[in-house]
Amino acid sequence: MKFIYIALFMGLSFVASAQNKVKGIISDKDNRPLAGINISMPEVHKEAISDAQGTYEFSNLPNGTFKIIFSSIGYTTKIISLPISEKEIIQNITLEDNIVHMDEVIVSTAFNKIQSQNVMKVEHESIKSLQQKGRATLIEGLATIPGVSQVSTGTSIGKPVIRGLSGNRVLVYTQGVRLENQQFGEEHGLGLNDAGVESVEVIKGPASLLYGSDALGGVLYFNPEKFANPQEFKADFSQRIFSNTLGSNSTLGLKTSTEHWKFLARGSFNTHADYQIPNGDRVTNTRYNESDFKTGIGYSNSKFSSILRYNFNKLDLGIPEDGFGEQTTNHSTIYPKQAVDNHILSLHNNFYFKNSKLDADLGYIYNDRSEFEDSNVASLHMKLSTLNYDLKYYLPKFGKVETIIGIQGMHQTNTNSGEELLIPDATTTDFGIFGTANYEFGKNVLQAGLRYDNRKISSETNGLFGNEGYFEGINKSFDSFNASLGYKTNLATDLTLRLNIASGFRAPNLAELTSNGVHEGSNRYEIGNANLENEQNLQTDLNLEYKSSHFELFANGFYNHINNYIFISPNGNVIDGNNVYDYVQANAKLYGGEAGIHFHPHPLDWLHFTSSFETVIGQNDNGSNLPLIPANKWNNTIKGEFNIKNWFKEGFATLNIESTFAQNNNSEFETRTNDYTLINMGLGGKVIIGKTIFNLNLNANNLFDKTYVSHLSRLKSDGIPNIGRNIVLGVNFMI
């Protein structure tokens, strides 16, 4: 904590010296002013929206040459590179009509490029678009992105899966810092609420170059909501209700900004009863309650900017154990259950020099997790405290070469105070150093990088040798060198090719190294292996993307080879009626990809048809199938956009057909899963009644109340189907 206060003090002590300003008017080809255009300067973290006269303005800018991006749905994204050294610069812009999607700035990759310039294909989805699909939780919404799935326990607990890799192999970033919340556990969910989150970026593939250990399978990067523009005050209230779980989600937020200072705060409460399957039964104790609070304060001038954010998330989670027990619509959880308090404090600083920049991020995460079996005395109580830092220096641009060097690190302690131990008391320390460069020449972009990491794990001896709950102390060190190479080119005016080769690694976690006991929920006795080595992978990605005014097509293919893949295997013994499993290693491979189209025919520009297909196959080198590999999926959506006079604007209606194929490539611990098709519908838009304006969203998911079981459902082994029909109504008011 001391480091955070020191950094904040240093940052706020900077005094502005330059008062540079850029302003102008944005118009269309007929010289008509354009309102609502998004203008961003990603290198100095500034954004604005053009007003009714098409004007925009940025002030308190540092000296240097910076990109300014002008974007909006319906217009071609325009990027200019503007030298700034005068007190005031007038920069007027003309935008061309274009029906394709707005080109977003990608934050999760090194150089903050817009997607069309990015070497790596990154999926970007706004949280608003995910909420319009009517999903009950954030992770359910993420699972609609091609290549992303979830391992679920009912509707309350979901763990992300990217191209067949999950758990510690997928790294989650929020508020610019890595999220650490005991994510190794099968019943430890994402622990994030979508309130106060602007968008999510998905890196599908090894991202160890930028993020170190645990990014072997990919990254979910959550961008927090933006502050208000200077001299603005905004407040909003949203309410969603869910028919199946008799659920409710309420959110209230406010934000305001001056020229230098900005502030926001948002609170949310989420409550659900047991979910109902198509025959009318409710799955006992799948109910849950969640409280979430987010706040942020920022300061910026022409030399420096700083943003301090805090998030508190409180979860009360029922753990389903009895299947179809007492049928009730009570929202209060019963035993067994979990109570999870998660605190995230982040400090993001930018120091601007003449031709370079330093980003300094500090994060502190405190995760307090309790599990209760049959009383209010916690049988399992773990406290995880994590301090991490991330320093990146953007060197002066050399010709067309941009270069970043950086260091990252983490210090983490786990302590137990419950009757049972899942993992021992332990300390984990990470340190990494990296460099990466981006070179643009003509229509081509080349990006390369190299990184070294070290992770040290030490744990205490606990219990009596030979007994359940005995953990032998360890003192292990894991090292890894990783590299990446990416190339992007325009094969034709509308045709883009991306090729990426990257390595990644994951150090074994404490559960894999030290386990000795029955893992509740999976009913198996697990024995760790202190001799496990790093998982090390090499993945090749090929992306082909075509975009024209009325037709888009993409095709992604990947091949991922993992050395020393860690998995559990039965050893033939039985302890107290539970089969015994050992943690072992073998080489593995995963391959597959995603493909899709988006068609909006002229002159029916209001009509959109999208279709995507995703597949992944995962096997050990001996040919046996890996566990938790999602089934193939084919998704089709028809969307119509419309306005009704002056009282219903930005209207949309959607019909979605989600077809999941049978999963016959199951591991030896799993059973095959049948195919199924779900029909989902949505309707929404902006309602204007006098001076009252609100957004309305109505969804019917699993419209025909189909009985189905997802291959990645942890309730599958008990024969419990997934959720039945769910009608979702949402409204959002600007106060």
Side-chain angles (χ1 to χ4, degrees):
M1 293 294 293
K2 180 167 66 176
F3 298 112
I4 296 177
Y5 294 132
I6 292 172
L8 182 61
F9 175 78
M10 290 174 59
L12 297 183
S13 66
F14 269 70
V15 178
S17 61
Q19 295 296 324
N20 297 328
K21 181 184 294 186
V22 175
K23 64 180 183 179
I25 298 175
I26 306 172
S27 57
D28 63 13
K29 61 183 180 180
D30 297 320
N31 207 31
R32 293 175 298 193
L34 296 176
I37 302 298
N38 298 285
I39 312 103
S40 65
M41 299 182 68
E43 293 153 306
V44 294
H45 302 280
K46 285 184 177 287
E47 297 187 353
I49 298 176
S50 61
D51 61 19
Q53 288 72 45
T55 62
Y56 73 96
E57 181 177 308
F58 291 115
S59 58
N60 296 302
L61 298 173
N63 291 329
T65 299
F66 301 102
K67 292 190 292 289
I68 306 181
I69 302 171
F70 303 83
S71 60
S72 181
I73 295 176
Y75 297 94
T76 300
T77 297
K78 191 164 189 175
I79 306 169
I80 64 171
S81 187
L82 188 66
I84 298 174
S85 59
E86 304 173 13
K87 294 297 182 182
E88 183 173 301
I89 298 174
I90 305 298
Q91 183 65 54
N92 297 325
I93 293 294
T94 301
L95 296 184
E96 299 290 334
D97 293 342
N98 197 332
I99 304 299
V100 299
H101 292 304
M102 185 170 62
D103 215 349
E104 301 284 355
V105 176
I106 302 301
V107 179
S108 56
T109 53
F111 296 95
N112 293 166
K113 304 286 187 181
I114 62 173
Q115 182 58 72
S116 61
Q117 294 180 323
N118 212 31
V119 167
M120 183 182 297
K121 173 65 176 176
V122 178
E123 300 290 345
H124 181 283
E125 281 278 359
S126 70
I127 297 302
K128 180 180 178 180
S129 68
L130 295 181
Q131 289 176 342
Q132 287 179 348
K133 298 176 182 179
R135 308 297 170 151
T137 64
L138 177 58
I139 185 64
E140 283 187 12
L142 295 175
T144 64
I145 299 173
V148 182
S149 308
Q150 68 158 334
V151 178
S152 64
T153 305
T155 55
S156 60
I157 300 174
K159 299 176 71 67
V161 180
I162 297 180
R163 288 177 168 174
L165 296 177
S166 57
N168 280 82
R169 299 180 179 98
V170 174
L171 189 61
V172 177
Y173 255 64
T174 180
Q175 298 179 189
V177 297
R178 61 183 292 160
L179 179 66
E180 293 290 321
N181 63 351
Q182 311 276 9
Q183 61 266 36
F184 60 85
E186 288 184 316
E187 291 186 347
H188 300 176
L190 193 61
L192 285 178
N193 188 282
D194 59 7
V197 179
E198 183 83 16
S199 61
V200 61
E201 296 170 14
V202 183
I203 300 176
K204 294 182 286 191
S208 291
L209 174 70
L210 294 179
Y211 298 104
S213 179
D214 302 348
L216 175 141
V219 174
L220 292 176
Y221 195 101
F222 293 95
N223 294 305
E225 72 172 299
K226 299 168 185 173
F227 290 93
N229 293 324
Q231 314 306 327
E232 276 188 343
F233 175 83
K234 292 183 177 180
D236 66 272
F237 173 77
S238 66
Q239 177 68 54
R240 286 184 288 166
I241 55 176
F242 307 83
S243 69
N244 187 287
T245 59
L246 305 178
S248 170
N249 180 281
S250 305
T251 301
L252 176 65
L254 60 88
K255 49 188 173 181
T256 186
S257 294
T258 65
E259 199 62 51
H260 294 286
W261 291 93
K262 40 198 173 185
F263 172 80
L264 61 80
R266 183 170 297 279
S268 177
F269 181 69
N270 201 12
T271 180
H272 293 263
D274 296 339
Y275 81 80
Q276 192 174 50
I277 65 172
N279 70 3
D281 289 338
R282 294 189 179 272
V283 183
T284 302
N285 211 26
T286 54
R287 64 200 75 166
Y288 68 99
N289 302 283
E290 178 184 25
S291 300
D292 188 84
F293 175 74
K294 294 183 176 76
T295 188
I297 185 171
Y299 175 83
S300 64
N301 59 38
S302 60
K303 293 290 186 181
F304 165 82
S305 70
S306 180
I307 296 175
L308 179 68
R309 292 182 186 263
Y310 170 70
N311 177 208
F312 172 65
N313 184 269
K314 185 178 184 65
L315 285 167
D316 172 30
L317 299 168
I319 303 298
E321 194 173 66
D322 297 330
F324 306 102
E326 180 185 2
Q327 296 294 290
T328 176
T329 57
N330 200 318
H331 289 229
S332 299
T333 56
I334 59 176
Y335 302 116
K337 63 180 182 178
Q338 291 184 22
V340 186
D341 290 350
N342 201 49
H343 304 261
I344 305 172
L345 185 65
S346 64
L347 179 65
H348 182 70
N349 300 291
N350 303 108
F351 301 89
Y352 305 111
F353 308 112
K354 185 176 181 180
N355 294 306
S356 62
K357 182 181 73 164
L358 174 67
D359 286 357
D361 296 336
L362 296 172
Y364 178 74
I365 301 96
Y366 180 72
N367 182 264
D368 188 327
R369 182 180 297 274
S370 301
E371 296 188 6
F372 305 89
E373 291 183 357
D374 51 17
S375 72
N376 60 3
V377 177
S379 57
L380 183 70
H381 190 187
M382 300 183 292
K383 298 178 181 179
L384 188 70
S385 177
T386 306
L387 177 67
N388 51 47
Y389 59 89
D390 185 351
L391 303 176
K392 296 188 184 77
Y393 180 58
Y394 295 70
L395 278 69
K397 194 171 182 179
F398 182 73
K400 295 183 178 180
V401 178
E402 300 173 80
T403 307
I404 300 173
I405 57 174
I407 60 172
Q408 294 172 333
M410 179 181 76
H411 180 77
Q412 184 177 88
T413 58
N414 180 76
T415 56
N416 292 274
S417 58
E419 298 175 354
E420 301 176 3
L421 269 69
L422 185 61
I423 57 174
D425 292 356
T427 299
T428 302
T429 304
D430 281 4
F431 175 78
I433 183 169
F434 70 94
T436 181
N438 189 84
Y439 174 53
E440 295 188 30
F441 53 104
K443 298 180 179 180
N444 308 287
V445 183
L446 188 66
Q447 188 172 305
L450 184 66
R451 179 180 178 120
Y452 166 76
D453 282 277
N454 172 262
R455 169 169 286 187
K456 294 180 180 178
I457 302 177
S458 61
S459 68
E460 300 178 6
T461 299
N462 182 84
L464 299 176
F465 180 77
N467 294 340
E468 181 179 346
Y470 170 76
F471 299 97
E472 182 179 357
I474 61 171
N475 192 356
K476 306 283 292 184
S477 181
F478 302 92
D479 299 276
S480 182
F481 283 95
N482 289 281
S484 71
L485 179 64
Y487 174 69
K488 170 202 167 280
T489 187
N490 293 334
L491 299 176
T493 303
D494 299 319
L495 186 62
T496 301
L497 172 72
R498 294 180 178 90
L499 176 64
N500 285 270
I501 302 174
S503 65
F505 86 105
R506 181 182 75 93
N509 62 43
L510 278 170
E512 294 163 339
L513 292 167
T514 64
S515 287
N516 184 27
V518 177
H519 193 292
E520 302 297 340
S522 56
N523 297 320
R524 58 183 180 234
Y525 194 109
E526 297 182 3
I527 298 178
N529 182 353
N531 297 315
L532 293 174
E533 300 178 5
N534 280 341
E535 290 184 336
Q536 191 77 44
N537 78 329
L538 181 66
Q539 179 166 315
T540 300
D541 282 274
L542 181 64
N543 165 247
L544 193 64
E545 197 170 58
Y546 175 81
K547 285 189 176 183
S548 66
S549 297
H550 297 279
F551 183 76
E552 302 173 47
L553 173 127
F554 72 89
N556 309 320
F558 75 95
Y559 182 86
N560 186 8
H561 187 272
I562 306 177
N563 289 326
N564 299 318
Y565 183 86
I566 300 172
F567 61 100
I568 57 174
S569 178
N571 64 16
N573 296 323
V574 177
I575 298 179
D576 296 333
N578 296 290
N579 292 325
V580 180
Y581 288 76
D582 295 325
Y583 280 97
V584 296
Q585 292 186 297
N587 294 338
K589 59 185 177 183
L590 298 99
Y591 55 93
E594 308 88 35
I597 62 169
H598 177 193
F599 178 52
H600 34 102
H602 184 72
L604 306 178
D605 295 330
W606 55 269
L607 182 63
H608 300 260
F609 172 71
T610 59
S611 180
S612 65
F613 177 79
E614 57 190 282
T615 181
V616 58
I617 295 173
Q619 296 175 328
N620 284 323
D621 271 3
N622 63 8
S624 62
N625 295 314
L626 297 180
L628 301 178
I629 300 298
N632 296 344
K633 185 185 294 185
W634 185 25
N635 214 314
N636 294 279
T637 301
I638 299 174
K639 180 179 180 179
E641 298 172 335
F642 59 91
N643 295 314
I644 301 178
K645 296 185 178 179
N646 293 321
W647 66 272
F648 197 84
K649 299 291 186 180
E650 302 172 15
F652 66 89
T654 61
L655 171 64
N656 171 251
I657 304 172
E658 182 182 317
S659 299
T660 301
F661 292 66
Q663 179 56 291
N664 298 316
N665 297 322
N666 51 288
S667 78
E668 58 181 307
F669 317 127
E670 301 172 322
T671 56
R672 66 177 300 277
T673 312
N674 294 328
D675 64 313
Y676 56 89
T677 295
L678 304 180
I679 307 297
N680 310 303
M681 295 187 71
L683 176 69
K686 181 183 293 185
V687 180
I688 304 172
I689 304 175
K691 294 184 178 180
T692 302
I693 301 175
F694 61 93
N695 288 299
L696 176 69
N697 202 71
L698 179 65
N699 296 86
N701 292 325
N702 193 1
L703 179 65
F704 295 112
D705 217 14
K706 172 75 173 180
T707 299
Y708 73 100
V709 179
S710 167
H711 185 68
L712 301 186
S713 169
R714 294 196 63 250
L715 303 181
K716 169 187 161 187
S717 59
D718 296 321
I720 298 175
N722 287 68
I723 189 171
R725 182 190 299 115
N726 194 16
I727 309 297
V728 183
L729 175 65
V731 292
N732 178 269
F733 288 89
M734 295 302 296
I735 302 174

